[in-house]
Amino acid sequence: MTIRGRAWKYGDNVDTDAIIPARYLNMSTEAELAPHCMEDIDPSFAKRVQRGDILVAGKNFGCGSSREHAPLALKGAGVSCVIAETFARIFYRNAINIGLPILECPEAVRATQTGHTLEVDLATGTIRNLDTGQTFQATPYPPFMLELIAAGGLIPYTRQRLARGG
Amino acid sequence: MSTPATMAQKILAAHAERESVQPGELIDVRADLVLANDITAPIAITEFEKLGVDRVFDPARIALVPDHFAPNKDIKSAEQCRALREFARRYGIVHYYEVGRMGIEHALLPEQGLVLPGDVVVGADSHTCTYGAVGAFATGMGSTDIAVAMATGRIWMRVPETIRFIYRGALRPWVRGKDLILYTIGLIGVEGARYQVMEFTGPAIAALSMDSRFTMANMAIEAGAKAGLFGVDEKTLAYVAERATRPYTVYASDPEAPYAQTIEIDVSAIEPQVAFPHLPSNAKPISQVGNIPIDQAVIGSCTNGRWEDLVEAATILKGRKVHPNVRCIIIPGTQALYLRAVKEGLAEAFVEAGAVFSTPTCGPCLGGHMGVLAAGERCVSTTNRNFVGRMGHVESEVYLASPAIAAASAVLGRIAGPDEL
Ligand code: SF4
């Protein structure tokens, strides 16, 4: 599966309060959360982001709370993929579980600026910067996670397992 | 002879029905307890319903606690709490804690004896790692993971590496678990233990109270850790003996266990710490804080809302007055602590001093209610996060510290330690 989108670049330690502030956690659907996505670090993000855009960030993206509202808000806002130097572990699980593709690739992050167009091949983990012509290779997913992604997330994966009696 | 292993490896191996497990392996583990709250459970319930099952794996091994925006702070929160309550009734959840009988989840569950040594606990809350204080492998996850765990009692995990911290020396006056953990996070950074277990060991840890250990385990996530673990000693056993209603197993790391790293810390050099905005790792010793006036002091949360914390705050506030420019908000972690504070005169000391004394709730910790900050306001807080906008307006500031520092600051009107009183 290939994704192509414009990049939005942020720094290190973008925490889940920044991705979706706690004051909005009295709501829980993608549609309700999306208008407030990234509000406290970039108030105009939710208005300007376009469907398919790609978020690019530094180290420890998604640190802080376990709120699944964070990847849901990003997905709802139209973000097609997050590329970071590293991810906080709960955010990593949550994104994979709900079907928001995420890739770790410090080199691609460093070589990308806001506004660049990126093309991502999820199956191979190849990232191309169409503005600079550079190509990068993200850390590949372990086989189990590929299975999860192929199933469409943790819920469909578990449903298949339960149906098989496993 | 089996190969040496860490406590985390042993607990996970036992729950994966394996002889041993190695860091990096993806394994399927059995959970002893599954937790969610009023903001994470609604999504978990929606996802649970997509699984097409008609029952939970074990109604006695799920805990549901409305604590974040409870007592209901607005209509939407009321709907979320109702979703939790209705799910609990429909599936016969034994450990559903209604307002008036609840507490902040991570103060409540250990107090009720629901988390025990050797357990695997998964919770839809990042501070689930708090239970490492009793020697449980406890870790936070998202709502979808918890939906699956509620249905199957099992969950996938990556076996983490362990960093061993050895604390030696005698604590200085007013230094507690909060100061040790802020200092440690300051040392290794907010991703210093990402994907890893922090194992807290050494003579200074043996001397630490259970309440201080809960505080330290609680903040392991602030260094990115998957879990924060303490070995089980007489103090742990005394704590769980009064509470446990099921058997448990004690695991210990082998002396030759394969630690990823060992970090030694001399606690006698550590002053009370204050973490400046906007990261928990921005820790400074109290002597280097300077003159920082405050508008609010919050004493409570799953980090520091326990008995030792309330006693420390009361010791400082009794017979003194909260500074005229400061709102001091004190929130006990559970109903049992609230009642004890009333019976033993702490509540009176707080109210006499001019502080708010509230029913248990997360409240201001995540900027929910009961003390949200306006633009430009500054708060010293015993909570665990000081991210931008965490307690309210994006232009407000949160300084993290111990209850002693927060109480002394409330009296002095600026961030300061009890020695200045
Ligand atoms: S007190 Fe704060 S950190 Fe603890 S569970 Fe509640 S919101 Fe989370």
Side-chain angles (χ1 to χ4, degrees):
Chain A
M1 184 187 161
T2 305
I3 293 170
R4 181 192 284 215
R6 259 183 337 152
W8 293 77
K9 187 163 175 188
Y10 297 95
D12 292 342
N13 300 316
V14 173
D15 61 80
T16 51
D17 280 275
I19 301 169
I20 183 77
R23 57 185 175 275
Y24 302 117
L25 300 185
N26 57 3
M27 303 180 283
S28 57
T29 64
E30 280 180 28
E32 291 169 315
L33 298 167
H36 306 292
C37 185
M38 305 292 277
E39 191 169 289
D40 285 358
I41 58 169
D42 187 351
S44 66
F45 175 82
K47 278 195 207 75
R48 295 192 295 146
V49 67
Q50 282 166 24
R51 201 139 287 279
D53 283 358
I54 293 171
L55 213 84
V56 177
K59 293 193 192 111
N60 206 23
F61 185 84
C63 61
S65 95
S66 68
R67 64 189 70 161
E68 204 161 293
H69 310 67
L72 286 174
L74 289 167
K75 208 173 157 204
V79 171
S80 62
C81 175
V82 184
I83 301 168
E85 290 188 39
T86 57
F87 290 93
R89 57 161 282 275
I90 306 179
F91 182 90
Y92 190 97
R93 292 186 76 105
N94 286 348
I96 299 287
N97 285 345
I98 69 156
L100 172 69
I102 58 175
L103 292 170
E104 279 190 355
C105 188
E107 300 77 25
V109 170
R110 276 178 233 130
T112 300
Q113 298 305 326
T114 294
H116 283 174
T117 302
L118 302 180
E119 198 174 81
V120 180
D121 184 336
L122 286 180
T124 61
T126 313
I127 300 167
R128 277 184 56 205
N129 186 322
L130 301 184
D131 287 87
T132 65
Q134 288 165 291
T135 301
F136 305 95
Q137 182 59 46
T139 316
Y141 292 113
F144 164 75
M145 236 163 263
L146 280 174
E147 253 182 84
L148 260 189
I149 295 165
L154 186 64
I155 294 294
Y157 172 84
T158 307
R159 212 168 43 214
Q160 288 169 14
R161 254 181 59 167
L162 289 171
R164 287 199 307 265
Chain B
M1 259 276 304
S2 55
T3 41
T6 62
M7 191 175 167
Q9 281 174 289
K10 291 183 189 181
I11 297 174
L12 291 176
H15 286 76
E17 297 89 25
R18 295 261 300 265
E19 281 292 310
S20 66
V21 294
Q22 296 310 317
E25 274 188 85
L26 290 167
I27 55 169
D28 183 49
V29 298
R30 176 178 59 77
D32 294 291
L33 192 79
V34 180
L35 161 75
N37 59 50
D38 55 311
I39 59 176
T40 57
I43 298 178
I45 292 166
T46 308
E47 297 305 310
F48 178 89
E49 277 158 5
K50 292 182 192 161
L51 285 170
V53 293
D54 57 3
R55 56 184 188 86
V56 298
F57 83 105
D58 184 346
R61 294 207 179 240
I62 292 173
L64 295 176
V65 188
D67 56 359
H68 278 62
F69 294 162
N72 308 338
K73 82 174 175 97
D74 57 20
I75 296 169
K76 284 179 174 153
S77 306
E79 303 286 354
Q80 289 188 314
C81 289
R82 187 178 63 188
L84 192 72
R85 185 177 304 120
E86 285 178 355
F87 181 86
R89 286 196 190 133
R90 188 165 346 120
Y91 293 97
I93 304 300
V94 179
H95 303 294
Y96 168 73
Y97 293 94
E98 193 51 271
V99 167
R101 281 143 275 171
M102 50 69 101
I104 300 170
E105 54 207 54
H106 312 306
L108 184 69
L109 268 48
E111 175 191 281
Q112 298 293 316
L114 296 188
V115 292
L116 298 171
D119 279 359
V120 166
V121 182
V122 293
D125 192 277
S126 61
H127 293 102
T128 302
C129 55
T130 309
Y131 317 134
V134 297
F137 187 96
T139 190
M141 297 185 171
S143 299
T144 297
D145 276 316
I146 290 311
V148 167
M150 289 199 299
T152 64
R154 303 194 71 94
I155 193 74
W156 70 269
M157 270 192 209
R158 181 184 166 280
V159 180
E161 294 179 314
T162 296
I163 306 178
R164 173 173 52 175
F165 294 85
I166 307 174
Y167 297 84
R168 300 183 205 281
L171 294 181
R172 293 190 186 190
W174 301 111
V175 171
R176 300 284 182 273
K178 183 59 164 285
D179 306 292
L180 298 189
I181 193 66
L182 287 177
Y183 177 87
T184 306
I185 297 165
L187 195 68
I188 66 171
V190 290
E191 61 159 1
R194 208 171 49 93
Y195 286 100
Q196 295 175 309
V197 171
M198 297 170 84
E199 191 177 314
F200 303 106
T201 72
I205 294 298
L208 221 52
S209 68
M210 284 308 291
D211 283 358
S212 263
R213 296 180 193 182
F214 281 116
T215 303
M216 291 186 72
N218 176 271
M219 289 193 72
I221 178 72
E222 263 56 72
K226 182 165 190 160
L229 274 172
F230 286 76
V232 175
D233 62 9
E234 338 63 77
K235 282 185 188 161
T236 329
L237 293 174
Y239 181 89
V240 295
E242 298 171 16
R243 299 169 162 88
T245 57
R246 57 182 165 87
Y248 55 87
T249 312
V250 172
Y251 297 90
S253 290
D254 295 319
E256 299 305 314
Y259 291 107
Q261 203 184 341
T262 294
I263 297 176
E264 304 209 26
I265 294 172
D266 175 10
V267 302
S268 63
I270 299 176
E271 285 182 45
Q273 302 282 308
V274 178
F276 278 49
H278 290 285
L279 284 177
S281 55
N282 291 339
K284 288 188 191 178
I286 188 75
S287 63
Q288 287 172 31
V289 163
N291 181 26
I292 299 179
I294 55 162
D295 304 284
Q296 181 164 296
V298 169
I299 299 167
S301 85
C302 60
T303 317
N304 282 117
R306 296 187 181 76
W307 188 245
E308 175 180 284
D309 306 315
L310 297 175
V311 169
E312 196 123 290
T315 307
I316 290 163
L317 290 173
K318 193 172 168 66
R320 295 197 172 94
K321 292 284 178 205
V322 170
H323 190 278
N325 297 346
V326 176
R327 292 104 54 185
C328 179
I329 300 169
I330 303 173
I331 308 177
T334 68
Q335 285 288 95
L337 292 168
Y338 186 95
L339 185 59
R340 189 169 170 197
V342 169
K343 283 186 178 159
E344 297 191 19
L346 278 66
E348 192 178 336
F350 296 144
V351 177
E352 287 284 352
V356 168
F357 187 58
S358 159
T359 193
T361 179
C362 294
C365 173
L366 79 164
H369 58 149
M370 283 292 300
V372 176
L373 299 174
E377 288 192 328
R378 219 179 259 142
C379 178
V380 59
S381 178
T382 69
T383 52
N384 46 40
R385 289 191 177 134
N386 55 356
F387 300 149
V388 172
R390 173 72 180 182
M391 200 176 275
H393 197 279
V394 285
E395 286 159 28
S396 62
E397 292 183 343
V398 176
Y399 293 72
L400 305 175
S402 69
I405 299 288
S409 306
V411 172
L412 291 161
R414 60 185 168 83
I415 301 177
D419 292 341
E420 290 196 48
L421 288 168

